[in-house]
Amino acid sequence: RLDEGAWDEAETLLEQALKDEPNHAKARAMLASLIVLRDPHRAVDLASAAGSVEPTYLFQAEAVKTIAMRLTTPADWDESLPGAALYQEAIDALHEADVQASLEKLMALIQVDRVIDNDGGRRLGIALFTLFADRMEAVRGMRRLFDMYLSSSPGRPSQVTHG
């Protein structure tokens, strides 16, 4: 487990490991999860390469892609939906690298709107837990509440379209 205070040192070590062994899947996957909030395009490249070499990193690669897409793609949902402002606030928090605040907004969102961005609040929340729960205690502690909100959410999941 990588503690929050050691991220910079870990990033330096992972960069060096990739210079020494450019195709090291674990180093690629770990570095992708460290940099996704500030360099989403590179994180996607690293995570995709790790997942293609070692299938055990596919779930992590999907999480990186989900987060990166929300950080780099302009809003394309109906802003009149009940959760539009909450969803945008969650994304804005990610732009500030505030994972905990983003998850708090996402938990509020899934209680009122599961339709927005094809259940984007749920997908983004799961991606954030996938990448950050092991190394951020505050995030880890939020998972049970998030799951509870998902299972009891009145936010119209039956209207979610998949595509």
Side-chain angles (χ1 to χ4, degrees):
R1 193 173 95 201
L2 183 59
D3 292 323
E4 202 169 343
W7 293 4
D8 291 338
E9 182 182 353
E11 184 176 340
T12 301
L13 293 171
L14 290 166
E15 291 284 9
Q16 185 58 50
L18 287 174
K19 283 181 185 171
D20 296 342
E21 192 178 336
N23 295 320
H24 194 282
K26 186 173 184 176
R28 284 176 176 264
M30 290 177 71
L31 184 57
S33 71
L34 285 175
I35 68 169
V36 67
L37 297 179
R38 80 169 181 287
D39 193 351
H41 296 293
R42 181 166 183 236
V44 167
D45 291 343
L46 288 165
S48 296
S52 68
V53 171
E54 180 58 52
T56 57
Y57 298 114
L58 287 173
F59 192 62
Q60 184 176 347
E62 267 315 301
V64 168
K65 288 177 192 174
T66 298
I67 294 166
M69 186 206 53
R70 264 305 118 231
L71 288 172
T72 60
T73 305
D76 60 351
W77 53 82
D78 181 353
E79 293 185 18
S80 70
L81 288 170
L86 285 168
Y87 196 36
Q88 189 58 57
E89 290 170 12
I91 294 164
D92 291 345
L94 285 184
H95 281 286
E96 298 296 321
D98 191 341
V99 175
Q100 184 176 350
S102 181
L103 282 166
E104 288 168 357
K105 296 296 182 183
L106 292 172
M107 286 193 289
L109 168 67
I110 62 176
Q111 293 177 74
V112 296
D113 191 341
R114 296 278 302 274
V115 175
I116 194 166
D117 196 23
N118 289 323
D119 206 10
R122 177 191 61 82
R123 291 183 293 117
L124 185 56
I126 290 169
L128 291 170
F129 283 114
T130 298
L131 296 187
F132 296 99
D134 283 348
R135 61 181 197 248
M136 294 177 74
E137 191 167 333
V139 170
R140 187 171 39 259
M142 299 170 81
R143 181 62 198 242
R144 188 170 179 196
L145 186 58
F146 182 81
D147 290 344
M148 183 186 74
Y149 287 149
L150 282 178
S151 65
S152 65
S153 174
R156 306 174 307 200
S158 64
Q159 295 179 12
V160 174
T161 58
H162 300 281

